[in-house]
Amino acid sequence: MSTPTLTDSAFLQACRGERPAHTPVWFMRQAGRSLPEYLAIREGTTMLDSCFRTDMVVEITMQPVRRYGVDAAIFFSDIVVPLKAIGVDLDIVPGTGPVVAEPIRSHAQLEQFRDIEPDDIAPITDAVTALVGELGATPLIGFAGAPFTLASYLVEGGPSRDHRLTKQLMYSDPDLWHALLGRMAAIAGQFLRAQVEAGASAIQLFDSWAGALSLADYETYVKPHSAAVLASVADLDVPRIHFGVGTGELLHSMGDAGADVVGVDWRVPLDEAVRRIGPGKAVQGNLDPTVVFAPTEFMQARAAEVLEAGRAAEGHVFNLGHGVLPATDPDALARLVDFVHGYETA
């Protein structure tokens, strides 16, 4: 019997619009958050420090693959890591998220957003290379934050519920806005390219806060920059996944920005999402992350609904509609993986 290779990967097949023997599954934020082994290894180490420690990145990325048998690993990192790598003064505050020391208000502040040099991210690319060796036939997904989401942290100074300052800058100083997003697009593209060149088999562009925008604003102020990121790695011939939260009205536009796979949150049924996205794209999603807290029978029934709706797509990667919640029972995720893998897809 031949040894499986990356070519045989159900995840990569589904991303290409093919029908693998089983529906592939992985979870956003599977590398950490709810796992006791993750909490143990992270104890006493800040989030950003752990993202720059090769040994920690490798171990944390591998933990859910060992525990769940998921069809892909997601690289353990954070969307602000490339900004930290080039010297931006920011931190990830427990219970809050990324906090920026000097929020962006002027063109002069853009000078800090220089290109990424290999030495800036050497521990990270070393971790990718080491992981590819350990993962074997399991693909590694590299990722980056999309320009809008990165910019929103930089302008707001941290997380925001209404993105008031972000939109204020966007509307009042479009030249500064587009210059900022242009720099974010360049940095995100460089970070993704480095991960793929080190061995990652796919990439995901996270636009976590794009759902705060109307379709018109997204297409005017954001889409060209996300498209630039996705175009910058088009020559690398790896699947490009594009995901945002609350983006039901943006799905077609997000796919049109250059994605091969469009991630869908739980608010839109997957078959309806396929209709909105249009032909030529695979989809990823979209079980509500809170459903894994329900009884197993209920969770499996909802997962079956997602799998059935996913038949409408040219390719379907099962996932949650957002990241794994910290209080999630790892055993519930293990049961979910087993259910998805055993579900009759023919």
Side-chain angles (χ1 to χ4, degrees):
M1 189 173 180
S2 61
T3 303
T5 65
L6 278 172
T7 308
D8 304 316
S9 159
F11 167 75
L12 293 176
Q13 288 181 49
C15 288
R16 293 192 297 262
E18 301 168 10
R19 292 287 179 183
H22 67 268
T23 301
V25 52
W26 69 278
F27 303 116
M28 289 179 283
R29 294 182 181 158
Q30 69 185 13
R33 302 274 285 188
S34 65
L35 293 179
E37 55 265 43
Y38 166 78
L39 298 175
I41 194 173
R42 273 285 319 279
E43 190 173 359
T45 306
T46 68
M47 177 64 182
L48 279 174
D49 284 346
S50 64
C51 290
F52 284 90
R53 280 187 50 179
T54 299
D55 58 335
M56 264 190 155
V57 172
V58 172
E59 172 58 23
I60 293 169
T61 303
M62 290 299 300
Q63 286 174 348
V65 179
R66 297 190 199 110
R67 183 184 272 261
Y68 304 132
V70 285
D71 295 280
I74 179 74
F75 188 67
F76 175 69
S77 188
D78 188 89
I79 62 169
V80 299
V81 161
L83 299 178
K84 185 70 173 180
I86 61 172
V88 178
D89 189 356
L90 57 81
D91 196 10
I92 298 176
V93 177
T96 299
V99 174
V100 178
E102 295 185 13
I104 299 301
R105 298 290 182 268
S106 70
H107 281 271
Q109 291 174 282
L110 303 189
E111 293 179 4
Q112 65 186 304
F113 302 122
R114 62 172 176 81
D115 289 343
I116 296 174
E117 300 294 339
D119 287 349
D120 298 326
I121 54 172
I124 294 163
T125 50
D126 287 349
V128 173
T129 302
L131 278 163
V132 170
E134 286 205 32
L135 286 164
T138 301
L140 177 66
I141 305 167
F143 76 89
F148 175 78
T149 293
L150 291 176
S152 73
Y153 284 118
L154 291 168
V155 174
E156 300 284 345
S160 171
R161 291 187 177 182
D162 57 18
H163 297 86
R164 178 182 64 81
L165 296 173
T166 303
K167 292 183 180 182
Q168 182 179 339
L169 176 62
M170 191 170 75
Y171 298 143
S172 63
D173 195 342
D175 289 344
L176 175 55
W177 174 259
H178 287 294
L180 173 60
L181 263 70
R183 289 309 305 150
M184 293 304 101
I187 290 166
Q190 291 160 12
F191 193 52
L192 291 174
R193 176 170 287 274
Q195 292 173 76
V196 175
E197 289 178 343
S201 298
I203 61 96
Q204 177 155 316
L205 189 65
F206 281 88
D207 212 349
S208 306
W209 307 133
L213 299 168
S214 69
L215 177 59
D217 281 350
Y218 177 80
E219 296 200 325
T220 300
Y221 297 104
V222 175
K223 180 180 176 180
H225 302 288
S226 293
V229 179
L230 295 167
S232 74
V233 292
D235 63 303
L236 298 175
D237 196 30
V238 298
R240 296 163 296 169
I241 309 167
H242 198 186
F243 172 75
V245 183
T247 52
E249 300 302 317
L250 312 180
L251 288 171
H252 178 79
S253 193
M254 290 181 72
D256 192 53
D260 304 298
V261 184
V262 179
V264 183
D265 80 0
W266 68 94
R267 295 169 176 86
V268 179
L270 210 50
D271 48 358
E272 170 61 15
V274 170
R275 187 191 69 78
R276 295 184 189 186
I277 293 163
K281 311 289 181 185
V283 297
Q284 179 175 280
N286 69 335
L287 187 71
D288 186 330
T290 63
V291 168
V292 299
F293 294 86
T296 299
E297 296 76 14
F298 184 91
M299 177 184 73
Q300 291 177 342
R302 284 291 178 89
E305 291 175 6
V306 171
L307 289 161
E308 288 298 324
R311 293 180 190 272
E314 295 179 25
H316 176 212
V317 176
F318 188 96
N319 208 312
L320 302 180
H322 198 197
V324 172
L325 296 169
T328 300
D329 178 2
D331 289 341
L333 289 182
R335 292 192 293 272
L336 180 56
V337 171
D338 289 344
F339 178 78
V340 173
H341 280 169
Y343 195 84
E344 182 59 52
T345 58

